[in-house]
Amino acid sequence: MAPPAPDQTEAAEEIPAHELVYTTVVEEFSRLPIDGGRVAFEEQLQGFGYINRHTNVFADVETQTLTEELLGHTVQIRAIPVEYTFDYGDGTVRTTSRAGESVAHFAETNNSINLTDAETPTSHIYSSTGVYPVQVTTRFIGEFQVEDSGWIAIPGSTTAAASPGEADIWRTSQRLVSGACRDAADYGCNGPFTIEPGDRPPAIYQDRYDEDGNWLGR
């Protein structure tokens, strides 16, 4: 007499949970709602820069852990940023393993750092004035864990786009003055920019112009 067939449910339960969900995790990784972060500039400048000088651009994006229910198991999936493709909007594209960072905190202790000409691994020099749409696409690798499996690498990678930004690039002009600036409103100390029809003032100076682009003198 033949022995009874093994219970299929009991056999399946003997397989470790991480093995049961592995294939599904691999398939789902590229479909997860991974946050691509945002394109960032020096906070004080809001994307403002000058031609033929370095404009610092960086990716503000972080490692993320998402929780998914897969095949009846609670699975944690971690997305780790490892590579960044910067499209500076003027035809220049750079791929790097560095997200970049703000240099403002270095400027607080080093007066020689010029925020409008700070060279960084992700800064860019524009050769013409204009408003340039800047985009960053981040490549993520992944790992997952379920129950007490520990973190297990997910083969392959996926990408997510950051919220775009704008680099607002201007040219400089010089004025001769008799002494040091005592007030930002003094001639030669701060503005005005000449706003041509169809142009807009830089974001950092918008409160100093009226809606028609006329300098308010403050």
Side-chain angles (χ1 to χ4, degrees):
M1 184 175 180
D7 185 275
Q8 297 299 317
T9 301
E10 291 180 359
E13 289 177 349
E14 294 175 359
I15 301 175
H18 66 273
E19 293 184 15
L20 285 174
V21 302
Y22 180 82
T23 300
T24 303
V25 169
V26 173
E27 294 173 349
E28 288 294 317
F29 182 56
S30 63
R31 295 194 285 262
L32 292 175
I34 298 172
D35 184 359
R38 67 183 181 94
V39 173
F41 302 90
E42 297 300 329
E43 184 177 357
Q44 299 95 317
L45 301 180
Q46 301 180 50
F48 176 80
Y50 294 112
I51 61 171
N52 302 321
R53 297 187 186 180
H54 286 276
T55 298
N56 189 31
V57 183
F58 56 99
D60 183 7
V61 60
E62 299 178 343
T63 295
Q64 301 150 57
T65 301
L66 299 91
T67 301
E68 299 287 318
E69 292 293 328
L70 301 175
L71 303 180
H73 296 277
T74 300
V75 182
Q76 288 186 304
I77 303 175
R78 189 152 60 192
I80 306 165
V82 294
E83 189 176 74
Y84 313 86
T85 298
F86 288 79
D87 184 336
Y88 294 102
D90 64 348
T92 305
V93 177
R94 174 190 296 167
T95 298
T96 173
S97 61
R98 303 179 68 170
E101 63 179 334
S102 171
V103 297
H105 58 287
F106 296 117
E108 292 177 358
T109 57
N110 186 345
N111 293 331
S112 67
I113 294 178
N114 181 354
L115 290 183
T116 60
D117 194 19
E119 182 177 5
T120 71
T122 55
S123 64
H124 182 60
I125 295 177
Y126 292 92
S127 59
S128 299
T129 60
V131 178
Y132 296 91
V134 183
Q135 303 178 55
V136 176
T137 300
T138 300
R139 183 170 69 87
F140 294 83
I141 60 172
E143 54 189 15
F144 78 98
Q145 68 175 0
V146 53
E147 298 176 357
D148 58 353
S149 67
W151 290 103
I152 301 169
I154 301 172
S157 62
T158 190
T159 60
S163 299
E166 287 185 340
D168 196 356
I169 307 302
W170 291 69
R171 64 171 52 89
T172 60
S173 63
Q174 294 182 337
R175 299 175 180 180
L176 297 177
V177 296
S178 61
C181 290
R182 293 172 297 178
D183 187 277
D186 290 344
Y187 175 83
C189 295
N190 188 13
F193 291 91
T194 300
I195 306 299
E196 302 295 336
D199 285 344
R200 69 183 193 190
I204 57 174
Y205 297 128
Q206 281 184 353
D207 63 339
R208 302 175 189 181
Y209 290 81
D210 65 19
E211 60 184 12
D212 297 317
N214 298 310
W215 175 252
L216 298 175
R218 63 172 186 266

